[in-house]
């Protein structure tokens, strides 16, 4: 059965009531998308994905991260949309660009040139007709060290494992645990201080989606939720710090590289649908 946007089947409603009686943590009703919201979120997500596809064709060695910011701003506004990062809690640019030991929230700069061997995360978020979407991908510039290529690959696998698991009536901790196991099995660590999140009606909504944790714990996943899965995987320790100079840039404590891929999913009655990747 598919997610039924007109309201829940009796079966879903009965399950929600049962879990409520059992004292299981459930999402608040406003986090379960209506048909109208979902239509808007899908449109926003389409633009967000088209933007990442466009960037994939244009990102190359020698350009600056400010050039990427420029492309994001122009492409998004050309599609009658708004780059969600711009002005968000004071963020100064339209996109986050995070190179090598920068974990996330890097600020594009005319002084920052993409160099041979860099690994780069580009995180784009779009507002269209008031609805939000979010996704990020890694880009490898020129000839990247094999050990770094493996980090990028395993980070993608971690995201994909999380997305594949996403379905109703399991717990968020089930997803986190699966991601953590895969990262640690490969000798890497999962960043603890930043997480995925509900997204759609606002940029960042409940719940927090941690990429580590214990099976059988955390919020119950319910049809109609939309949230991101965006594990940040470090080659070394999971410790990070925020650059005090700009208040945004998150870096690994040990200076080793970090990689991240982000998708946004809709929970349906029998599984999930990938909205962005
Ligand atoms: N796109 C980021 C995320 O995945 C959020 C960036 S907030 C910003 O949640 F202000 F830095 F853009
Ligand atoms: Co996000």
């Amino acid at each position: 059965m598919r997610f039924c946007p007109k309201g829940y089947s009796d079966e879903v409603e009965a399950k929600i009531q049962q879990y409520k009686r059992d004292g299981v943590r459930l999402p608040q009703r406003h986090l379960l998308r209506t048909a109208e919201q979902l239509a808007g979120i899908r449109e926003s997500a389409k633009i967000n994905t088209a933007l990442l596809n466009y960037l994939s064709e244009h990102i190359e060695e020698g350009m600056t991260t400010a050039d990427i910011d420029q492309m994001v701003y122009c492409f998004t506004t050309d599609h009658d949309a708004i780059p969600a990062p711009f002005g968000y809690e004071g963020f100064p640019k339209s996109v986050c660009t995070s190179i090598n030991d920068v974990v996330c929230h890097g600020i594009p700069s005319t002084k920052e040139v993409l160099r041979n061997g860099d690994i780069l995360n580009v995180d784009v978020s779009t507002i269209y007709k008031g609805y939000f979407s979010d996704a990020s991908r890694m880009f490898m510039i020129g000839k990247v060290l094999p050990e770094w290529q493996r980090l990028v690959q395993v980070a993608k696998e971690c995201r994909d494992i999380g997305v594949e698991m996403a379905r109703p009536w399991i717990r968020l901790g089930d997803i986190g645990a699966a991601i953590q196991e895969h990262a640690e099995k490969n000798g890497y660590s999962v960043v603890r201080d930043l997480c995925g999140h509900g997204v759609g009606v606002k940029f960042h909504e409940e719940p927090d989606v941690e990429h580590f944790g214990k099976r059988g714990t955390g919020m119950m996943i319910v049809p109609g939720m939309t949230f991101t899965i965006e594990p940040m995987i470090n080659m070394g320790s999971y410790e990070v710090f925020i650059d005090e100079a700009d208040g945004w840039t998150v870096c690994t404590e040990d200076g080793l590289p970090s990689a991240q891929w982000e998708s946004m999913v809709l929970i349906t009655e029998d599984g999930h649908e990938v909205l962005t990747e």
Side-chain angles (χ1 to χ4, degrees):
M1 207 197 305
R2 299 209 25 239
F3 168 59
C4 171
K6 290 219 176 74
Y8 293 106
S9 62
D10 294 346
E11 199 188 332
V12 169
E13 195 55 50
K15 273 188 169 161
I16 289 176
Q17 292 311 325
Q18 182 58 51
Y19 285 124
K20 208 181 235 168
R21 281 193 294 275
D22 295 346
V24 174
R25 205 177 144 225
L26 290 156
Q28 289 179 283
R29 289 281 164 165
H30 72 88
L31 296 171
L32 309 182
R33 307 312 178 190
T34 65
E36 189 186 334
Q37 289 170 341
L38 197 50
I41 293 167
R42 280 187 205 285
E43 285 187 80
S44 176
K46 276 212 180 87
I47 298 169
N48 205 69
T49 300
L51 168 58
L52 275 173
N53 291 341
Y54 171 78
L55 294 176
S56 304
E57 286 167 20
H58 291 88
I59 287 174
E60 59 184 28
E61 187 179 344
M63 68 170 47
T64 69
T65 49
D67 295 329
I68 298 174
D69 183 63
Q70 179 78 16
M71 289 193 279
V72 170
Y73 183 85
C74 293
F75 185 98
T76 307
T77 52
D78 280 351
H79 288 76
D80 301 318
I82 302 166
F86 191 71
Y88 176 78
E89 292 185 4
F91 191 80
K93 298 285 176 183
S94 297
V95 57
C96 298
T97 49
S98 306
I99 300 179
N100 302 340
D101 64 315
V102 177
V103 175
C104 63
H105 302 169
I107 302 173
S109 160
T110 53
K111 296 191 190 91
E112 189 174 54
V113 179
L114 303 186
R115 295 187 197 287
N116 182 43
D118 282 345
I119 58 170
L120 163 74
N121 175 274
V122 178
D123 190 339
V124 300
S125 319
T126 300
I127 314 174
Y128 184 69
K129 294 184 183 163
Y131 294 104
F132 290 78
S133 53
D134 197 359
S136 80
R137 295 182 193 166
M138 294 299 293
F139 295 90
M140 295 197 263
I141 309 301
K143 201 166 176 290
V144 170
L145 284 173
E147 305 95 277
W148 290 33
Q149 288 184 32
R150 196 173 82 87
L151 174 70
V152 170
Q153 173 59 28
V154 170
K156 190 178 199 181
E157 290 165 8
C158 285
R159 189 273 311 267
D160 292 345
I161 285 168
V163 167
E164 270 314 306
M165 280 196 71
R167 73 195 65 167
W169 321 120
I170 67 167
R171 305 291 197 95
L172 282 174
D174 298 330
I175 293 181
I179 291 172
Q180 181 179 6
E181 272 165 29
H182 189 67
E184 292 179 356
K185 192 174 76 191
N186 281 281
Y188 301 140
S189 65
V190 177
V191 172
R192 306 285 206 259
D193 293 354
L194 297 127
C195 54
H197 51 93
V199 58
V201 172
K202 293 193 282 179
F203 196 174
H204 294 109
E205 300 178 80
E206 279 195 7
D208 283 350
V209 179
E210 290 180 337
H211 307 106
F212 61 97
K214 286 199 172 25
R215 287 198 165 71
T217 67
M219 185 185 279
M220 176 73 65
I221 300 175
V222 171
M225 295 173 80
T226 51
F227 57 82
T228 70
I229 297 173
E230 49 178 311
M232 284 142 273
I233 306 301
N234 289 358
M235 185 175 277
S237 96
Y238 59 70
E239 237 80 61
V240 300
F241 70 94
I242 298 177
D243 183 348
E244 276 177 27
D246 63 28
W248 280 102
T249 310
V250 178
C251 306
T252 60
E253 191 76 59
D254 56 17
L256 289 171
S258 182
Q260 176 184 29
W261 296 77
E262 173 178 17
S263 269
M264 183 179 164
V265 294
L266 163 71
I267 302 302
T268 59
E269 286 198 33
D270 61 2
H272 68 268
E273 195 182 301
V274 176
L275 294 175
T276 66
E277 63 186 339

